[in-house]
Amino acid sequence: MTDTTELVESLNRRLLSAATVVSEARLTVERGNFVNLSGLEAEADAICKELAKIPSGEGEGLKSALVGLADDLDRLTGALAAAHKKLAKEIGALGNRRRAAKAYFLGRSQD
């Protein structure tokens, strides 16, 4: 087995592992929980550096894993955007309740 073949196989495993992390992160966000993606960012950087080492035309075997990871990242982005929108709405509602409570208590103190 050549060094390039070993590199491609290693990268394929790492890409599939990253896709699993992204899918699990999406499910976590959809359940309303927070996720820390800093480890994923570091792994993505490392993968990109390794991808650059593959000679042109010899990384075709990675196409499926790369497309899958990109799709998973798109779904995670959608889940994060939906969670952000929901949180912003909840924060807005909380602000409205606080203003209403403040107005109520200020009005009562003037009686």
Side-chain angles (χ1 to χ4, degrees):
M1 199 176 324
T2 67
D3 288 342
T4 300
T5 302
E6 290 173 5
L7 179 58
V8 168
E9 289 177 0
S10 172
L11 281 168
N12 195 49
R13 285 190 299 275
R14 289 172 73 184
L15 288 165
L16 293 174
S17 178
T20 299
V21 169
V22 170
S23 292
E24 289 172 0
R26 178 184 50 82
L27 292 172
T28 300
V29 169
E30 288 174 348
R31 290 183 193 115
N33 298 311
F34 294 100
V35 294
N36 180 346
L37 299 174
S38 61
L40 179 63
E41 183 178 354
E43 177 65 0
D45 286 342
I47 288 171
C48 288
K49 288 177 184 171
E50 292 297 306
L51 284 169
K53 296 178 182 177
I54 298 173
S56 180
E58 294 190 35
E60 189 65 29
L62 296 171
K63 187 175 183 179
S64 175
L66 284 165
V67 169
L69 178 57
D71 289 345
D72 287 336
L73 286 167
D74 284 344
R75 286 189 283 276
L76 175 58
T77 299
L80 288 167
H84 180 266
K85 184 176 180 178
K86 179 181 176 190
L87 183 59
K89 185 176 179 180
E90 289 172 359
I91 289 171
L94 178 61
N96 290 340
R97 286 193 294 272
R98 289 183 76 201
R99 283 191 292 281
K102 185 176 180 179
Y104 173 78
F105 287 112
L106 286 176
R108 286 189 54 119
S109 66
Q110 294 176 0
D111 289 340

